[in-house]
Amino acid sequence: MSPLLQMRGIVRRFGDLCANDNIDLDVQPGEILGLLGENGSGKSTLMKVLFGMLRADSGSIAFKGKLLDGHTPAEAMAAGIAMIHQHFMLIDAMTVTENVMLGWPEAGRVLRTKEISSRVREASKRFGLYLDPDAQVGALPLGRRQRVEILKAILRNAELLILDEPTSNLAPAEVADLLVILRRLRAERKGIVFITHKLPEVLDVCDNVVVLRLGRVVGRAPVAGASRGQLAEMMIGRDVSAPREVDAAKPPGQARLALRDFSAPGLLPLTFEVRAGEILGVAGVDGNGQFELVESLSGLLPARGGVLELDGRDITRSTVAARMNLGLAYMPADRGQKALVKGMSIAENVMLRDSRRPPYARGPLLTPARAAAKTRALMADYDIRARGPDSIVARLSGGNQQKIVVARELDRGPAVLIAHQAAWGLDPGATRFVLDRMIALRDRGAAIVYVSSELEEVLAISDRVAVMAGGGFAGVMPRSALDMRQIGLWMAGRAA
Amino acid sequence: MIEFLAATIRIATPLALAALGGILSERAGVFAVGLEGMMLAGAFAATVGAWTTGAAGVGIVLALLGGAAIGLAVAFVAVRFRADNMVTGLAVNILSLGLTSYLMRVLSGGAQPVSMHLSPLAPWPIPILSDIPALGPLLFAHPPLTYLTVLGCLGLTLFLGRTQIGLTLRATGENPEAVFAAGANPLMMRMLAVIACGAIAGLGGAVLSLQQVGTFTDGMTSGRGYLALAALIVGRWTPWGAAAACLVFGAAEAFELRLQGFGAPVSSYVIQMAPYLIALAVLAGMGRSSKLPAAIGQALQRDH
């Protein structure tokens, strides 16, 4: 059987960096190929080369036996390749049908809206996508928007679908639906490249896997028979998937963060304490009040009622600055928007909170040389890979950006840390790193609230696990008495 | 009353044409701040063309070209070279004012602006319809460019809603990245939209000089481009909505003219502020519209 796609010896450099170093890749019809690798391993570059968004420095691409060379995305699409980007290429203000028609010659110069709309409805039924052709895309949940992209590919008769980290923005139930859809596409003999760094999904849905590291192929294997540990080892060179034994916390100290009937808009009254040397993990499906919890604890959302105490002091109505001065640190989920000023340098971002104090300032003037020295030390300590303190944050990978936030917040030696999706979008190595740093902070006597929709992360780090559902805590259990069944029930919204 | 309504339509026509052009530009994602300069260039070019050749048609063609030339400048500076939309727009407005005033003096060969007097375009009453009492003279006895404006509203509505290019243009204003991924060229789309905006706004200028005043005077648009900009926002970036907003502004001005006629004891300058005050109040009342094209004013990424 001749392969659907044959990439040979692909090389692509960005300056000194060789993002793709002589990569070969084959995809057969009816195959789901997992393309695995850490952030910055060259997966996205390779796929952009395939799709014609980047040009390869050398190498060849054959699709259905025909050479593709110097092609544009439009030509790649015409040939039968569809790319589903991590950030959807959709127009929120338009309907599903309009999005399908955009750039599609078959829709006609004068648009045949009715005809396309009925084709949308048919294909949606056939592949179980449940899409209303007239729905406005911006009003759809993320999982549905992704299906609009899949629908576009199907209607354009794409034979190869490239999905770039398709699950990174989805809720667990949406991920399950997506995998079902992918299997249906496989049954129709489509080739699929599934880019990810999440191992369970690879094991679940892929036929074969290719692992990239630092721009090279470091492993190829059929998924049947491969174990999670092996894949992880190929990916980052060591096995990090085994749950690390968290040292049993020392007997926790006094309460550092205390809530009594504390409530906020979207948050039911909560009463709990987090003690010195303790990590309270908060699990749950996204959108069940986690955002309201972290934002009201950090002071960005006003409290509605109850009392919030930090080391015994009432901070229910305190400003964000006052909370910070008392030792509260906050790592928001949306780091690009809330934690970092992406257009500024690493040093400037590091000094963002404490720019009035030494070593960043003396009197009214900033002290750039000292700030740079301090930043350099943090970069070494937290393994932030960039040219120097002057590097612009926007140019760094997501993992390195998050490490800046971690470095800044942890370096302040907070009494209480509120972390929301702290490992979001990070590969396993970087995730481990962030979790280890938090455990170290805990061991120095801080109280940590670790909120994440990744249950595995929460279980790996927490001394106690709380589950949020419907704006409140469905239940809390200590690490020593974990009951996965009960946690599942709580997450599904059933009270204890 | 008929007279008042007729005046409203007359005043609204150049505004509406400029607003139609502005819709093209803004829906493609470029703020249409340069409308004032485009109108002024169109008004000037139309006068020169009609005066030197004696043919109004030549004036109209030159108006399209004159406005498009300003549009081309905006397209290169703000789209191709990714400069700030607001600053670029304001700059071409000032440039256009200076350039037209200068050329007026060059044409006369002296320090005084040349005087070019034309007879304004005559109304084309539509047979039969214009004989309907009251409605006839109000709706069906206008000069040609007024009818063209109505056709423009219809044409632009169909273009935006029913054609592939229109869809791509709207998508460019919302998410140019997606347009690129869909295989189209957002850069070219934006540049063409801005140039077309210039041509249509230039036609709006021609309405002023050819159809209404019959000559060109320095800075004769006196803020109408900005009013057109307000109208297209109030009209939610839709042709009919913008035209309706232009009629409201036109009515305000027509009312003010009547007040002056009655010798109301208010400074004429205060009265002249009326349409702009209304525009400000309406804009403030609306706040930031959700209909605002999502990617308006955002430069395209370098690799497109």
Side-chain angles (χ1 to χ4, degrees), chain B residues 57-204:
Chain B
V58 174
I60 288 171
V61 171
L62 281 188
L64 288 167
L65 292 177
I70 301 290
L72 186 70
V74 175
F76 265 96
V77 177
V79 183
R80 173 71 181 75
F81 295 112
R82 301 147 32 97
D84 183 89
N85 285 186
M86 299 291 173
V87 178
T88 309
L90 291 173
V92 296
N93 290 347
I94 297 165
L95 174 81
S96 185
L97 176 60
L99 188 65
T100 51
S101 303
Y102 167 69
L103 289 177
M104 285 295 279
R105 284 151 185 82
V106 169
L107 286 178
S108 79
Q112 289 304 308
V114 66
S115 81
M116 301 180 280
H117 288 286
L118 309 157
S119 48
L121 292 179
W124 285 1
I126 298 178
I128 305 172
L129 287 178
S130 59
D131 297 332
I132 303 171
L135 276 185
L138 178 60
L139 296 179
F140 303 108
H142 288 285
L145 293 177
T146 307
Y147 300 129
L148 192 64
T149 307
V150 178
L151 288 180
C153 283
L154 183 67
L156 189 60
T157 305
L158 293 176
F159 170 75
L160 289 175
R162 304 280 182 84
T163 68
Q164 180 68 242
I165 306 178
L167 181 70
T168 309
L169 184 143
R170 284 187 287 136
T172 305
E174 297 284 343
N175 185 353
E177 191 85 355
V179 172
F180 183 61
N185 184 341
L187 178 80
M188 194 51 72
M189 195 74 236
R190 275 195 178 173
M191 290 186 64
L192 290 177
V194 172
I195 293 168
C197 162
I200 299 174
L203 201 59

Side-chain angles (χ1 to χ4, degrees), chain A residues 74 77 85 89-91 93-94 98 101-104 107-111, chain B residues 161-165 167-168 170-171 174-175 177-183:
Chain A
M77 271 186 281
H85 300 264
M89 294 294 172
L90 295 172
I91 314 294
M94 294 184 179
E98 282 180 309
M101 294 191 297
L102 179 63
W104 190 26
R109 279 169 199 275
V110 175
L111 299 169
Chain B
R162 304 280 182 84
T163 68
Q164 180 68 242
I165 306 178
L167 181 70
T168 309
R170 284 187 287 136
E174 297 284 343
N175 185 353
E177 191 85 355
V179 172
F180 183 61

